Amino acid sequence: MSSIALVGNPNTGKTSLFNTLTSSYEYVGNWAGVTVEKKIGSLKNGAGKLIDLPGIYSLHPLSRDEGVATQYLIEESPEALINIVDASQLERNLLLTLQLLEYGKPTVLGLNMIDVAKARGIAVNHEVLQSRLGITVLPLIARTGKGSGQVLSVLEKASTIPQVTFRLDYGELTEEAIASIVTELKSIPGLPNLRWVALQLMEQNPVVLELLKKRMDISRLMVICDGCQNALQSSKQALTLPQWIRSVRMDYIRSLCAAAMDTTLLKPHNLTERLDSILTHRFLGLPLFIFFMYAMFKTTFDWVGGPLSDLVDGLISGPISTGASSLLHTVGASEFTHALIVDGIIGGVGGVIVFVPQIFILFLMISFLEDSGYMARVCLLMDSTMERMGLNGKAFIPFIIGFGCNVPAIMAARSIEQPKDRMLTTLLMPLMSCSARLPVYLLFAAVFFPAQQATAVLAMYVLGVVFALILCKLFSKHLFKNESSVFIIELPPYRMPQLKTLGRSTWEKGKGFLRKAGTIILAGSVIIWLMSYAGPSGLNVEMDHSFLAKFGGLIAPLLHPLGFGTWQAGSTLVPGFLAKEVVVSTMNIIYHAPDAAGLEGQISQVFTPLSSVSFMAFILLYIPCLATVGVIRKETASWKWTFFSMGYSLVLAYLVSLVIFQGGSLLGLS
Amino acid sequence: MASTSCSLLRLQPGSTGSIQRIEGMNPILRRRLADLGVSEGVIIRLKGKGPFLGPITLECNGQLFAIRRKEASMIEVNVS
């Protein structure tokens, strides 16, 4: 079996091609069109494994994503490479191509998006590219799958892809230095192409430097590099060695593009220009964005999602519940089994399944924003606000994904270049109301603020964002001193997202929720139900004398100042740490509610409008769920930061709920 | 034709200039710009300025991107 790596700049369609070339794949962590780690799949024709690496601009890593790709090339020598380039952005894309050719592995160049290039009036002659670079060049339209058949047949026998003969001449001075570095490296076993290593060293690629430091004393190599740099300076060719290498490459790329590309018919991005003049307008841009967000929430909760959820609720509390009940009756199930299935499982899991339509609609709209190209503009609009708070606008995409689920959002933060910005984004992510907290808001909003449901729910989201911004300012001032943030973002042309892709990415995001419903929430519901069914005096006890009541009663005094010092509220918090979805299913079980209306009736008795707001704020802030804690630990690689994120949120939740309830009481609210 | 050099920020939205010098910029940003093909001698167009002193949108080699004003002021361009 051979392994073939897929390499290219971000947004060039690597993942689209990956999906058409492979039949099955091992899921390593791909979210919303962003490959955050390498993804491995087996080729459709059984010729080997295909590895989808994160998009990179060059082999010199800046963000963690890029580090993954460079590390891969150094440590796990693949048999061949497929380099995907965007035909409409050829000049920029070829910089990586040259570095890959120097790497020396057999390479196939996939010239993607020839349709996009054509529409813009750019004609690329792939035969010229092929003869100049000395590798196979295949024109592609990865989005529709056109040309992928040829790629497959070329890959059929990876061993027959010809060796790369490409070699760029860096001039006498540099070539001498390369030759002496190569001589020094010859004694070190297990290195990839020595000329490539020498060039990467001269470019000061940190991953390569690190690797060499582990195996040898690099001081002699550095002397060679310094000598070469001094010679370049005194002959007035360049200021630094990396600059010189880059400029030689750029000159070559320009001459190559001049020969292979015809841009005489080049047209501007008309649609993009027109849309941008409105959507990123200096005065209209932000209000429009806020309006879109409002419309998004309104659609999710009022216009489409709400009615759909009611439909599902009717189905579960009606036919499914009574059906199961009569079925159990017929087979003569014991009272225990009957209660377990109807109250524990259907009541608990069903209470959460009700929210599936709303969650999928939210994910669908987030996917639409991502695929259309608007999300990048949002980062642009938000940057000045975020900068004042000590972060950069790029953190906004992870934050928006965080509204779906915090776990992938924290992983998406890897695309941020600066370590400080990445850390801040990770630490603050739990303040974004993920879809698991949504059921709680929806439930309470429906009971206490029926006329302004969308506004009430939106207010909770805004509350989280406001605290994220305040804490961001605080943390960046006191925890990360003297580190300013940088901001640069590419703005892709606007595109109408394809239905197929939208469906796929919505499903990828939403299935996590369904999977949780089937595992954690199911297990949680059963355990909670058991605790409510059993008590110190035996089985089938009064709820007030159950283990659950005893347990919740222990926490209740602490929660009293917050306005919800009941054992019922207390006992929802601990399972809520496992997964916030369990909060609502716990309530379903505790209040023994047959359906949503019943639960709403119970809640209106126990909570007041003021204490419901206090409770929602507490649920929003109190602690990241177990899965999020796990990913924070993984991404920060530090227990200190992990405990910090749990600790600060718990303190914040208590303080905020206290202020809401006590302050509200003083103002005479109830 | 007479040409004058000034900071990129002084360009009128929609007009172009060729980059003469980039100085004093954060190295991470400098490299990212180079990755996008933004370097000396290249033609760059100022597309628009964001709200609340936010980032400015630029076009270079057919690629749209945005950077902050502070950084953009470190790019000196030649206008003919």
Side-chain angles (χ1 to χ4, degrees), chain A residues 79-127:
Chain A
E79 200 159 322
L81 303 176
I82 308 176
N83 175 212
I84 297 288
V85 298
D86 175 353
S88 64
Q89 298 281 350
L90 197 57
E91 197 173 313
R92 162 160 73 85
N93 279 244
L94 283 175
L95 194 62
L96 176 65
T97 306
L98 291 194
Q99 292 184 318
L100 293 176
L101 288 176
E102 281 165 351
Y103 180 66
K105 292 282 172 187
T107 301
V108 178
L109 193 73
L111 187 63
N112 194 20
M113 305 203 200
I114 44 171
D115 54 335
V116 178
K118 209 167 162 191
R120 287 207 54 212
I122 303 170
V124 181
N125 186 336
H126 71 272
E127 277 151 8

Short mmCIF file of all heavy atoms in Angstrom, two decimals, chain A residues 79-127:
data_model
loop_
_atom_site.label_atom_id
_atom_site.label_comp_id
_atom_site.label_asym_id
_atom_site.label_seq_id
_atom_site.Cartn_x
_atom_site.Cartn_y
_atom_site.Cartn_z
N GLU A 79 4.80 8.48 -0.47
CA GLU A 79 5.36 7.96 -1.72
C GLU A 79 5.24 8.98 -2.86
O GLU A 79 6.12 9.09 -3.68
CB GLU A 79 4.64 6.68 -2.10
CG GLU A 79 5.42 5.84 -3.06
CD GLU A 79 4.94 4.41 -2.99
OE1 GLU A 79 4.62 3.93 -1.89
OE2 GLU A 79 4.84 3.79 -4.04
N ALA A 80 4.11 9.70 -2.86
CA ALA A 80 3.91 10.70 -3.90
C ALA A 80 3.07 11.84 -3.33
O ALA A 80 2.44 11.69 -2.29
CB ALA A 80 3.22 10.07 -5.10
N LEU A 81 3.08 12.97 -4.05
CA LEU A 81 2.28 14.12 -3.61
C LEU A 81 1.31 14.51 -4.72
O LEU A 81 1.64 14.41 -5.90
CB LEU A 81 3.18 15.33 -3.35
CG LEU A 81 4.31 15.20 -2.33
CD1 LEU A 81 5.12 16.49 -2.30
CD2 LEU A 81 3.74 14.92 -0.95
N ILE A 82 0.12 14.95 -4.31
CA ILE A 82 -0.75 15.65 -5.26
C ILE A 82 -0.79 17.08 -4.78
O ILE A 82 -1.18 17.35 -3.64
CB ILE A 82 -2.18 15.10 -5.26
CG1 ILE A 82 -2.17 13.59 -5.44
CG2 ILE A 82 -2.98 15.74 -6.37
CD1 ILE A 82 -3.56 13.00 -5.36
N ASN A 83 -0.36 17.98 -5.62
CA ASN A 83 -0.38 19.38 -5.25
C ASN A 83 -1.54 20.04 -5.99
O ASN A 83 -1.59 20.06 -7.21
CB ASN A 83 0.96 20.02 -5.63
CG ASN A 83 0.98 21.52 -5.38
OD1 ASN A 83 1.65 22.24 -6.10
ND2 ASN A 83 0.26 21.99 -4.39
N ILE A 84 -2.49 20.54 -5.22
CA ILE A 84 -3.66 21.20 -5.81
C ILE A 84 -3.38 22.70 -5.89
O ILE A 84 -3.01 23.32 -4.88
CB ILE A 84 -4.91 20.96 -4.96
CG1 ILE A 84 -5.25 19.48 -4.91
CG2 ILE A 84 -6.09 21.74 -5.49
CD1 ILE A 84 -5.80 18.97 -6.19
N VAL A 85 -3.53 23.28 -7.06
CA VAL A 85 -3.41 24.73 -7.18
C VAL A 85 -4.68 25.32 -7.76
O VAL A 85 -5.40 24.66 -8.51
CB VAL A 85 -2.19 25.15 -8.05
CG1 VAL A 85 -0.89 24.67 -7.43
CG2 VAL A 85 -2.33 24.64 -9.47
N ASP A 86 -4.95 26.55 -7.37
CA ASP A 86 -6.13 27.27 -7.86
C ASP A 86 -5.72 28.01 -9.13
O ASP A 86 -4.88 28.90 -9.09
CB ASP A 86 -6.58 28.23 -6.74
CG ASP A 86 -7.72 29.13 -7.17
OD1 ASP A 86 -8.10 29.11 -8.36
OD2 ASP A 86 -8.24 29.86 -6.31
N ALA A 87 -6.34 27.61 -10.25
CA ALA A 87 -5.93 28.18 -11.54
C ALA A 87 -6.16 29.68 -11.61
O ALA A 87 -5.48 30.39 -12.34
CB ALA A 87 -6.68 27.48 -12.67
N SER A 88 -7.12 30.18 -10.80
CA SER A 88 -7.38 31.61 -10.86
C SER A 88 -6.43 32.40 -9.96
O SER A 88 -6.46 33.62 -9.92
CB SER A 88 -8.84 31.91 -10.50
OG SER A 88 -9.09 31.53 -9.17
N GLN A 89 -5.60 31.69 -9.18
CA GLN A 89 -4.63 32.34 -8.30
C GLN A 89 -3.27 31.68 -8.48
O GLN A 89 -2.58 31.40 -7.50
CB GLN A 89 -5.04 32.14 -6.83
CG GLN A 89 -6.35 32.74 -6.45
CD GLN A 89 -6.22 34.22 -6.23
OE1 GLN A 89 -5.12 34.75 -6.20
NE2 GLN A 89 -7.33 34.90 -6.12
N LEU A 90 -2.93 31.43 -9.75
CA LEU A 90 -1.79 30.56 -10.02
C LEU A 90 -0.48 31.07 -9.43
O LEU A 90 0.27 30.33 -8.79
CB LEU A 90 -1.65 30.38 -11.54
CG LEU A 90 -0.78 29.21 -11.96
CD1 LEU A 90 -1.30 27.92 -11.36
CD2 LEU A 90 -0.74 29.11 -13.47
N GLU A 91 -0.23 32.36 -9.60
CA GLU A 91 1.07 32.91 -9.20
C GLU A 91 1.37 32.64 -7.73
O GLU A 91 2.43 32.17 -7.36
CB GLU A 91 1.09 34.40 -9.49
CG GLU A 91 2.48 34.96 -9.50
CD GLU A 91 2.51 36.41 -9.96
OE1 GLU A 91 1.88 36.72 -10.99
OE2 GLU A 91 3.15 37.22 -9.29
N ARG A 92 0.38 32.93 -6.89
CA ARG A 92 0.56 32.74 -5.46
C ARG A 92 0.71 31.26 -5.11
O ARG A 92 1.55 30.87 -4.30
CB ARG A 92 -0.65 33.32 -4.73
CG ARG A 92 -0.81 32.84 -3.32
CD ARG A 92 -1.67 33.77 -2.54
NE ARG A 92 -3.07 33.69 -2.92
CZ ARG A 92 -3.91 32.79 -2.43
NH1 ARG A 92 -3.49 31.88 -1.60
NH2 ARG A 92 -5.17 32.79 -2.78
N ASN A 93 -0.11 30.41 -5.75
CA ASN A 93 -0.11 28.98 -5.44
C ASN A 93 1.19 28.28 -5.80
O ASN A 93 1.58 27.31 -5.19
CB ASN A 93 -1.25 28.28 -6.18
CG ASN A 93 -2.58 28.44 -5.48
OD1 ASN A 93 -3.17 27.48 -5.02
ND2 ASN A 93 -3.04 29.67 -5.36
N LEU A 94 1.88 28.80 -6.84
CA LEU A 94 3.06 28.10 -7.32
C LEU A 94 4.23 28.18 -6.35
O LEU A 94 5.16 27.38 -6.43
CB LEU A 94 3.47 28.65 -8.70
CG LEU A 94 2.60 28.15 -9.85
CD1 LEU A 94 2.99 28.84 -11.15
CD2 LEU A 94 2.71 26.64 -10.00
N LEU A 95 4.20 29.13 -5.43
CA LEU A 95 5.30 29.25 -4.46
C LEU A 95 5.43 27.96 -3.65
O LEU A 95 6.53 27.43 -3.46
CB LEU A 95 5.01 30.43 -3.53
CG LEU A 95 6.19 30.88 -2.68
CD1 LEU A 95 7.32 31.38 -3.56
CD2 LEU A 95 5.76 31.98 -1.72
N LEU A 96 4.30 27.44 -3.22
CA LEU A 96 4.31 26.18 -2.48
C LEU A 96 4.74 25.04 -3.41
O LEU A 96 5.49 24.16 -3.02
CB LEU A 96 2.92 25.90 -1.89
CG LEU A 96 2.76 24.58 -1.16
CD1 LEU A 96 3.63 24.54 0.08
CD2 LEU A 96 1.31 24.34 -0.78
N THR A 97 4.24 25.10 -4.66
CA THR A 97 4.58 24.05 -5.63
C THR A 97 6.10 23.90 -5.77
O THR A 97 6.62 22.79 -5.77
CB THR A 97 3.95 24.38 -7.00
OG1 THR A 97 2.56 24.60 -6.81
CG2 THR A 97 4.16 23.26 -7.98
N LEU A 98 6.80 25.04 -5.88
CA LEU A 98 8.26 24.97 -6.03
C LEU A 98 8.89 24.29 -4.82
O LEU A 98 9.78 23.45 -4.96
CB LEU A 98 8.85 26.37 -6.19
CG LEU A 98 8.54 27.11 -7.50
CD1 LEU A 98 9.46 28.31 -7.64
CD2 LEU A 98 8.68 26.20 -8.71
N GLN A 99 8.44 24.64 -3.63
CA GLN A 99 8.99 24.03 -2.42
C GLN A 99 8.74 22.52 -2.40
O GLN A 99 9.57 21.75 -1.95
CB GLN A 99 8.38 24.67 -1.18
CG GLN A 99 8.79 26.10 -0.99
CD GLN A 99 8.26 26.67 0.30
OE1 GLN A 99 7.12 26.43 0.67
NE2 GLN A 99 9.07 27.44 0.99
N LEU A 100 7.56 22.14 -2.92
CA LEU A 100 7.23 20.72 -2.94
C LEU A 100 8.06 19.98 -3.98
O LEU A 100 8.46 18.84 -3.76
CB LEU A 100 5.74 20.52 -3.24
CG LEU A 100 4.78 20.99 -2.15
CD1 LEU A 100 3.34 20.83 -2.63
CD2 LEU A 100 4.99 20.21 -0.87
N LEU A 101 8.33 20.65 -5.10
CA LEU A 101 9.16 20.00 -6.12
C LEU A 101 10.57 19.81 -5.61
O LEU A 101 11.22 18.81 -5.89
CB LEU A 101 9.16 20.84 -7.40
CG LEU A 101 7.85 20.84 -8.19
CD1 LEU A 101 7.94 21.77 -9.38
CD2 LEU A 101 7.51 19.44 -8.66
N GLU A 102 11.04 20.78 -4.82
CA GLU A 102 12.38 20.64 -4.25
C GLU A 102 12.43 19.50 -3.23
O GLU A 102 13.48 18.92 -2.99
CB GLU A 102 12.80 21.96 -3.59
CG GLU A 102 13.29 22.97 -4.61
CD GLU A 102 13.38 24.38 -4.08
OE1 GLU A 102 12.91 24.63 -2.95
OE2 GLU A 102 13.93 25.23 -4.78
N TYR A 103 11.28 19.20 -2.66
CA TYR A 103 11.18 18.09 -1.72
C TYR A 103 11.53 16.77 -2.41
O TYR A 103 12.01 15.83 -1.79
CB TYR A 103 9.77 18.07 -1.15
CG TYR A 103 9.44 17.00 -0.15
CD1 TYR A 103 10.06 16.98 1.09
CD2 TYR A 103 8.48 16.04 -0.43
CE1 TYR A 103 9.74 16.01 2.03
CE2 TYR A 103 8.15 15.07 0.50
CZ TYR A 103 8.78 15.06 1.72
OH TYR A 103 8.46 14.10 2.64
N GLY A 104 11.27 16.73 -3.73
CA GLY A 104 11.82 15.66 -4.54
C GLY A 104 10.98 14.40 -4.70
O GLY A 104 11.39 13.49 -5.39
N LYS A 105 9.83 14.35 -4.07
CA LYS A 105 8.98 13.16 -4.24
C LYS A 105 8.22 13.26 -5.56
O LYS A 105 7.94 14.37 -6.02
CB LYS A 105 7.97 13.07 -3.09
CG LYS A 105 8.60 12.78 -1.76
CD LYS A 105 8.94 11.33 -1.64
CE LYS A 105 9.76 11.15 -0.37
NZ LYS A 105 10.28 9.80 -0.24
N PRO A 106 7.85 12.13 -6.16
CA PRO A 106 7.03 12.18 -7.37
C PRO A 106 5.77 13.01 -7.11
O PRO A 106 5.10 12.80 -6.10
CB PRO A 106 6.67 10.71 -7.62
CG PRO A 106 7.71 9.93 -6.91
CD PRO A 106 8.15 10.76 -5.76
N THR A 107 5.49 13.96 -7.99
CA THR A 107 4.38 14.89 -7.74
C THR A 107 3.48 15.00 -8.95
O THR A 107 3.94 15.00 -10.09
CB THR A 107 4.94 16.28 -7.39
OG1 THR A 107 5.77 16.17 -6.24
CG2 THR A 107 3.83 17.27 -7.09
N VAL A 108 2.18 15.09 -8.68
CA VAL A 108 1.20 15.37 -9.72
C VAL A 108 0.60 16.72 -9.39
O VAL A 108 0.27 16.99 -8.23
CB VAL A 108 0.08 14.31 -9.74
CG1 VAL A 108 -0.95 14.64 -10.79
CG2 VAL A 108 0.67 12.93 -9.98
N LEU A 109 0.49 17.60 -10.37
CA LEU A 109 -0.10 18.91 -10.13
C LEU A 109 -1.56 18.91 -10.57
O LEU A 109 -1.84 18.65 -11.74
CB LEU A 109 0.70 19.98 -10.88
CG LEU A 109 0.39 21.42 -10.49
CD1 LEU A 109 0.97 21.73 -9.13
CD2 LEU A 109 0.94 22.38 -11.52
N GLY A 110 -2.47 19.14 -9.65
CA GLY A 110 -3.89 19.24 -10.00
C GLY A 110 -4.24 20.70 -10.19
O GLY A 110 -4.23 21.47 -9.25
N LEU A 111 -4.52 21.07 -11.42
CA LEU A 111 -4.84 22.46 -11.74
C LEU A 111 -6.35 22.63 -11.56
O LEU A 111 -7.12 22.37 -12.46
CB LEU A 111 -4.40 22.75 -13.18
CG LEU A 111 -4.49 24.18 -13.67
CD1 LEU A 111 -3.58 25.08 -12.89
CD2 LEU A 111 -4.13 24.24 -15.15
N ASN A 112 -6.74 23.07 -10.38
CA ASN A 112 -8.17 23.09 -10.02
C ASN A 112 -8.82 24.42 -10.39
O ASN A 112 -8.14 25.41 -10.63
CB ASN A 112 -8.31 22.81 -8.53
CG ASN A 112 -9.73 22.48 -8.14
OD1 ASN A 112 -10.54 22.11 -8.99
ND2 ASN A 112 -10.06 22.63 -6.88
N MET A 113 -10.15 24.41 -10.38
CA MET A 113 -10.98 25.60 -10.61
C MET A 113 -10.72 26.23 -11.97
O MET A 113 -10.72 27.46 -12.10
CB MET A 113 -10.73 26.65 -9.52
CG MET A 113 -10.95 26.11 -8.12
SD MET A 113 -11.30 27.43 -6.98
CE MET A 113 -10.92 26.65 -5.43
N ILE A 114 -10.50 25.39 -12.98
CA ILE A 114 -10.29 25.96 -14.31
C ILE A 114 -11.57 26.66 -14.78
O ILE A 114 -11.51 27.58 -15.58
CB ILE A 114 -9.85 24.89 -15.34
CG1 ILE A 114 -10.68 23.63 -15.17
CG2 ILE A 114 -8.37 24.58 -15.23
CD1 ILE A 114 -10.46 22.62 -16.26
N ASP A 115 -12.72 26.22 -14.25
CA ASP A 115 -13.97 26.88 -14.63
C ASP A 115 -14.05 28.29 -14.06
O ASP A 115 -14.47 29.23 -14.73
CB ASP A 115 -15.18 26.04 -14.19
CG ASP A 115 -15.15 25.70 -12.70
OD1 ASP A 115 -14.04 25.69 -12.12
OD2 ASP A 115 -16.22 25.46 -12.11
N VAL A 116 -13.61 28.43 -12.79
CA VAL A 116 -13.61 29.75 -12.15
C VAL A 116 -12.65 30.68 -12.89
O VAL A 116 -12.98 31.84 -13.18
CB VAL A 116 -13.19 29.63 -10.67
CG1 VAL A 116 -13.14 30.99 -10.01
CG2 VAL A 116 -14.14 28.71 -9.92
N ALA A 117 -11.47 30.14 -13.21
CA ALA A 117 -10.47 30.94 -13.90
C ALA A 117 -11.02 31.39 -15.26
O ALA A 117 -10.89 32.56 -15.64
CB ALA A 117 -9.19 30.13 -14.08
N LYS A 118 -11.66 30.46 -15.97
CA LYS A 118 -12.19 30.76 -17.29
C LYS A 118 -13.25 31.86 -17.21
O LYS A 118 -13.26 32.79 -18.01
CB LYS A 118 -12.82 29.49 -17.87
CG LYS A 118 -12.79 29.42 -19.38
CD LYS A 118 -13.13 28.01 -19.78
CE LYS A 118 -13.55 27.91 -21.21
NZ LYS A 118 -14.11 26.58 -21.49
N ALA A 119 -14.11 31.75 -16.21
CA ALA A 119 -15.17 32.74 -16.05
C ALA A 119 -14.57 34.12 -15.78
O ALA A 119 -15.17 35.14 -16.11
CB ALA A 119 -16.09 32.34 -14.90
N ARG A 120 -13.38 34.14 -15.18
CA ARG A 120 -12.74 35.43 -14.93
C ARG A 120 -11.86 35.87 -16.10
O ARG A 120 -11.20 36.90 -16.02
CB ARG A 120 -11.90 35.36 -13.65
CG ARG A 120 -12.75 35.33 -12.40
CD ARG A 120 -11.98 35.92 -11.24
NE ARG A 120 -11.47 37.24 -11.55
CZ ARG A 120 -10.34 37.74 -11.07
NH1 ARG A 120 -9.61 37.02 -10.27
NH2 ARG A 120 -9.95 38.95 -11.40
N GLY A 121 -11.83 35.05 -17.15
CA GLY A 121 -11.04 35.43 -18.32
C GLY A 121 -9.58 35.03 -18.24
O GLY A 121 -8.74 35.63 -18.89
N ILE A 122 -9.27 34.04 -17.40
CA ILE A 122 -7.89 33.58 -17.30
C ILE A 122 -7.78 32.22 -17.97
O ILE A 122 -8.51 31.29 -17.61
CB ILE A 122 -7.46 33.43 -15.82
CG1 ILE A 122 -7.64 34.75 -15.08
CG2 ILE A 122 -6.02 32.96 -15.71
CD1 ILE A 122 -7.48 34.62 -13.58
N ALA A 123 -6.90 32.11 -18.96
CA ALA A 123 -6.69 30.82 -19.60
C ALA A 123 -5.31 30.31 -19.20
O ALA A 123 -4.32 31.02 -19.34
CB ALA A 123 -6.78 30.97 -21.11
N VAL A 124 -5.27 29.09 -18.65
CA VAL A 124 -3.99 28.52 -18.24
C VAL A 124 -3.66 27.37 -19.18
O VAL A 124 -4.47 26.46 -19.36
CB VAL A 124 -4.04 28.02 -16.78
CG1 VAL A 124 -2.69 27.46 -16.37
CG2 VAL A 124 -4.46 29.14 -15.84
N ASN A 125 -2.49 27.40 -19.77
CA ASN A 125 -2.06 26.33 -20.67
C ASN A 125 -1.33 25.28 -19.84
O ASN A 125 -0.19 25.46 -19.44
CB ASN A 125 -1.13 26.92 -21.73
CG ASN A 125 -0.76 25.89 -22.78
OD1 ASN A 125 -0.81 24.69 -22.50
ND2 ASN A 125 -0.40 26.35 -23.95
N HIS A 126 -2.02 24.16 -19.60
CA HIS A 126 -1.43 23.19 -18.68
C HIS A 126 -0.25 22.45 -19.30
O HIS A 126 0.60 21.93 -18.60
CB HIS A 126 -2.49 22.23 -18.13
CG HIS A 126 -3.00 21.24 -19.12
ND1 HIS A 126 -4.08 21.51 -19.94
CD2 HIS A 126 -2.60 20.00 -19.42
CE1 HIS A 126 -4.30 20.47 -20.70
NE2 HIS A 126 -3.42 19.53 -20.41
N GLU A 127 -0.20 22.44 -20.66
CA GLU A 127 0.92 21.75 -21.29
C GLU A 127 2.24 22.50 -21.06
O GLU A 127 3.29 21.89 -20.87
CB GLU A 127 0.66 21.56 -22.78
CG GLU A 127 -0.19 20.32 -23.02
CD GLU A 127 -1.06 20.44 -24.27
OE1 GLU A 127 -0.89 21.42 -25.02
OE2 GLU A 127 -1.90 19.55 -24.46
#
